[in-house]
Each structure stands twice: as structure tokens, then as C-alpha cells.
Amino acid sequence: MDKLEKTLESRTVRPTAMRLLVLKFLLQKKVAVSLTNIEEYFDNSERTTLYRTLKTFEENGIVHQIDDGTGTIKYAVCEENCNCELEQDLHLHFYCNNCDETVCLTEYKIPHINLPEGYLAENVNLVIKGLCEKCSGH
Amino acid sequence: MDKLEKTLESRTVRPTAMRLLVLKFLLQKKVAVSLTNIEEYFDNSERTTLYRTLKTFEENGIVHQIDDGTGTIKYAVCEENCNCELEQDLHLHFYCNNCDETVCLTEYKIPHINLPEGYLAENVNLVIKGLCEKCSGH
DNA sequence: TTTATAGATGCAATGGAAGTGCATTTAGTG
DNA sequence: CACTAAATGCACTTCCATTGCATCTATAAA
Ligand SMILES: [Mn+2]
Ligand SMILES: [Mn+2]
Ligand SMILES: [Zn+2]
Ligand SMILES: [Zn+2]
């Protein structure tokens, strides 16, 4: 059986043709992708199907959403045995102002943040914007 | 002369009636507000005018935008002598999942984040979501 | 005071993206 | 094959940001 299929089935997601293609596409990309990116990549694709595909992936821990502040949600495949947990899996995301690409810096976990008395953290989003390695010129 | 007028003029923003009202409203609110919030507060207001008012305020360092991940931009008045600078003025923002309010935690500066070689930070957005002091129950 | 001009405002319209309702098709199960 | 749940396709809606252009207003020059 195909490796892609295994990935989906291990997450109890039925491996349809489109889902396999989307997963393959996500895996080969080194940067986070938007719904529109995917729609543009596949010629005869239905936006709604892709939308629900990503939603299903996300609900089953295959991908995580990235809100990089551009107004468009991006998606990236989760690491092996990721649970998208605070102070565990949550990592830094970097958006390049020049090439307009967003990447997961999975090695860079979000540091623990002290909060005022009474505040309870459930989720954290940390996005750094600037120039990526390709665009900074050094 | 009025204190509000002084604030605007010191930032070279002409103190029109609407601008003064908006600034007053922003100052009295302890939480970040959206364009729609302001629109709803003032009965006969024009959305576009408010939009451009906020834009003008932001361009002249009177307010800063807050992207709390809700999909709606919020605004809050900058601190005295704030320049919205990295590692200087940029602070943490907290969004309460229960009461749907976003607050500036101006005392909580964004910690320095190490980046991989070649990456250059120009801006940082750090939003914590959870329960605020009013909603956490302790 | 009148006039010129830049700036501010009002109104209409656009555009991007997320999200939903419902009919139809497809794929597993007995 | 027949049944049923899941997946897909299409149309439509909603929300928010943003722009173009006409009009109004305030300030400063004549
Ligand atoms: Mn990521
Ligand atoms: Mn703030
Ligand atoms: Zn780049
Ligand atoms: Zn709250």
C-alpha cells in the first residue's frame, strides 16, 4: 500500500483520489500553502472540496493552520507525532515580506510567556515577519 | 485648547470633529476595538470615513493595529512616546476565547526570538488566546 | 470678503476569502 | 445487487477590507 494512503488511514481519513493528491502536494512543498495555492495547482479542482479536504486534514491532525497575518490562512503538514500542543509542538512561523512565503520553523518552539495574574493561555500564535534566508542576501 | 486636539496636532493630524470623537472613544475603551465596533457606536457614521480615520491615526503613530487572528483588525491607542518598534514597543496581545475581547498587554514586551542563520526579523506578532482575568474565574 | 486649493467626507462599488445548504455522485457493507 | 454514509460539485451568502470618484469644508492667499 502507498505511503500516502497509510498516512491518511492512520488518521482515519478515507484516502480518496483528491485527498491523496492534496497530501502529496502539501508534502512536496517546503512552504506553507493557501487554499488558493492548491486550487491554482490543480486544474479541474473544486474549491469547496479542497476547502473541506483541508478542514478534514486539520481536524485529524494531518495539517495545521497558519495565520501569518496576510489575511489568508496557510496550511502545512504536521511533524511526525505532532499533537499541535502548546509548549510542545507549537512553533514559530516566519513570513517573508519580500518573497511572500511563509515557513514553519518547527525547530523553534514558542517560548514560555508569562501572563498577568488571572490570565489563562490556551493557544499561542507567534509570527515573525522579515526577510527569509533567500531574500536577506546574507 | 483641548487635550485631544493637542494629541492630534502633535502628530500633524488635523483635528476634525469625527477624528476627535473617534480618538476619545478609543481612549476610553480599555480593550482593542474594530472598525465595526466604532461604526456601531456612532449612529450616523460613515464606515469609509472611520476606516480612513483609523488609517490616518495608524500612519501617524496614534494607534496601532492588532491582528488577533479573528479575521477582524482591531485598534488601540499607542502608549505615550511609542514608536511601534521591535524589541522596544511591541507587546503581547491577548484574545479571550470567552468574552471575545482583545487587550494590549503593554507591560509584556515580546521576548527576543532567535532565528535561523540568514533570517532577518522586521516585525513580530505575538497573540495569546485563552481566558482573560474576568473569564478565567480565578 | 472672495477665491483657490488641498484635505476630508460620503456614497457606491469591488474584491478576496471563508463558510454553508443542498443535490448528486461515489464507495464501502451486507 | 442494494443500501447507506461519506465525499463531491455547484450555487450562494457573508464578512471585511479597500478603492474611485464626486462633493463638501476649511484654511490661506489674493
Ligand atoms: Mn507550522
Ligand atoms: Mn497593543
Ligand atoms: Zn523571502
Ligand atoms: Zn474574557
Side-chain angles (χ1 to χ4, degrees), chain B residues 3-106:
Chain B
K3 187 165 186 298
L4 294 173
E5 283 190 46
K6 280 212 181 99
T7 302
L8 292 185
E9 294 196 334
S10 72
R11 300 285 188 162
T12 68
V13 172
R14 284 162 68 169
T16 68
M18 201 66 221
R19 285 174 179 170
L20 291 168
L21 288 171
V22 171
L23 179 58
K24 188 178 174 189
F25 177 66
L26 288 170
L27 281 167
Q28 77 178 38
K29 292 287 281 188
K30 299 160 299 286
V31 300
V33 301
S34 68
L35 174 55
T36 303
N37 290 154
I38 302 177
E39 196 185 7
E40 285 166 352
Y41 181 77
F42 295 106
D43 278 351
N44 294 326
S45 58
E46 235 298 305
R47 187 177 183 83
T48 314
T49 302
L50 298 175
Y51 171 77
R52 288 195 260 237
T53 294
L54 291 170
K55 195 174 185 185
T56 301
F57 282 6
E58 202 227 332
E59 285 167 353
N60 292 281
I62 296 168
V63 304
H64 60 279
Q65 283 194 8
I66 302 162
D67 178 357
D68 60 12
T70 59
T72 308
I73 297 170
K74 308 274 172 66
Y75 300 84
V77 178
C78 287
E79 298 285 286
E80 204 74 40
N81 48 42
C82 160
N83 288 307
C84 292
E85 298 220 338
L86 193 59
E87 317 226 4
Q88 177 83 31
D89 302 303
L90 291 195
H91 50 266
L92 173 56
H93 291 116
F94 189 92
Y95 172 79
C96 178
N97 289 320
N98 183 248
C99 67
D100 191 39
E101 287 186 340
T102 301
V103 292
C104 293
L105 297 179
T106 50

